[in-house]
Amino acid sequence: MTDAASSAARRPIEIVPSVLPADFSRLGEACLALEKAGVDRIQFDVMDGRFVPNLTFGADVIASVREHVSVPFEAHLMVHEPTWLVPHMVEAGCQTVIVHAEACTHLHRVLGQVLETGARAAVALNPASPPQLAEYVLDLVSMVLVMTVNPGFGGQRYLASMEPKLRSLRRTILERGLDVDLEVDGGIGPDTVTGATAAGANVLVAGSALFRDEQGLEHAVSELRSLAEAARSGVQA
Ligand code: DX5
């Protein structure tokens, strides 16, 4: 087994639902059900209609859900120049703030601003972005999100072509002895989680695959977790 694989194998598998496919008129109930289903965190896809061709919700909506559940929240900011929004996301109850490298003229500065709020900082990379885009901020982040779809919509096809990017980032993180998680988001489900995990991801964001599981959220979360663990044991082999 390669060192990078063993490094990946030592990081806990985390299942993080995106609420994008949820019924927004009953978002609180959806988050309660996700918490009951045993998720590790909940991701809120914040879209501004400029960085991505879609518009979702802001800090007030996240804050309205915060008091109903106790799981940590992460804000995935698909927002052009997101500096102004960072403190509002933290005040709304997000423990992790993810910004896109492509959306920040001064990415290093924005991640520093996230850290100054006391939140964990994370950087997201669009499919066309090389892993090098994160290279000089790996010391600032707790996590790198490798998008496995073009951001803006749920229910898209998983891009397996992102797996070499995951392997490259996992190798760099290991070589530099950094404590950084690798997250994937987009098209993650029972058929794709094995490839993403074997390539080095340990945090798995899923929306459609969880909400469309006919056996319910609990089944979907535990199935995804056990498939990821199995892929890891494959990695460990
Ligand atoms: C894209 C979104 C989606 C969503 C999950 O901007 O970030 O990736 O979270 O989508 P699916 O339904 O593919 O899991």
Side-chain angles (χ1 to χ4, degrees), residues 6 18 21 29 42 52 60 68 97 113 115 138 147 173 178 182 198 200 204-205:
S6 67
S18 156
E29 291 167 48
I42 294 178
V52 292
D60 291 347
H68 299 291
V97 177
Q113 286 164 333
L115 293 174
L138 283 177
M147 291 301 294
I173 291 164
L178 296 170
L182 271 185
L204 306 153
V205 175

Side-chain angles (χ1 to χ4, degrees), residues 4 7-8 123-126 129-138 141 143-147 162-178 180-184 199-201:
S7 154
V123 60
L125 299 176
N126 281 339
S129 296
Q132 288 78 6
L133 218 48
E135 197 162 341
Y136 291 99
V137 295
L138 283 177
V141 300
M143 182 169 73
V144 178
L145 165 52
V146 174
M147 291 301 294
M162 296 300 114
E163 291 173 9
K165 188 189 304 186
L166 285 162
R167 280 192 285 274
S168 165
L169 281 163
R170 180 49 72 200
R171 245 190 331 273
T172 303
I173 291 164
L174 173 78
E175 283 160 5
R176 291 171 51 180
L178 296 170
V180 177
D181 285 327
L182 271 185
E183 182 175 59
V184 285

Side-chain angles (χ1 to χ4, degrees), residues 20-127:
L20 199 59
D23 173 356
F24 285 2
S25 73
R26 304 169 65 183
L27 195 52
E29 291 167 48
C31 288
L32 272 171
L34 287 166
E35 182 174 56
K36 186 171 169 293
V39 299
D40 294 285
R41 264 196 312 282
I42 294 178
Q43 185 188 93
F44 291 86
D45 288 295
V46 181
M47 301 181 187
D48 68 352
R50 176 172 177 184
F51 180 68
V52 292
N54 198 355
L55 194 57
T56 53
F57 39 64
D60 291 347
V61 170
I62 297 171
S64 67
V65 178
R66 178 68 278 176
E67 64 220 40
H68 299 291
V69 290
S70 52
V71 289
F73 285 177
E74 66 178 40
H76 176 190
L77 301 186
M78 289 163 270
V79 173
H80 178 72
E81 301 301 0
T83 305
W84 65 277
L85 194 52
V86 168
H88 297 294
M89 288 292 130
V90 177
E91 282 152 31
C94 295
Q95 286 73 29
T96 302
V97 177
I98 307 166
V99 297
H100 269 262
E102 308 87 353
C104 303
T105 306
H106 302 287
L107 174 63
H108 191 280
R109 178 185 292 143
V110 174
L111 291 169
Q113 286 164 333
V114 173
L115 293 174
E116 280 166 17
T117 68
R120 289 178 355 132
V123 60
L125 299 176
N126 281 339

Side-chain angles (χ1 to χ4, degrees), residues 207-225:
S208 314
L210 299 184
F211 284 93
R212 76 182 170 209
D213 187 319
E214 287 163 12
Q215 297 184 65
L217 286 174
E218 212 141 347
H219 171 267
V221 171
S222 60
E223 181 186 42
L224 216 49
R225 195 183 299 278

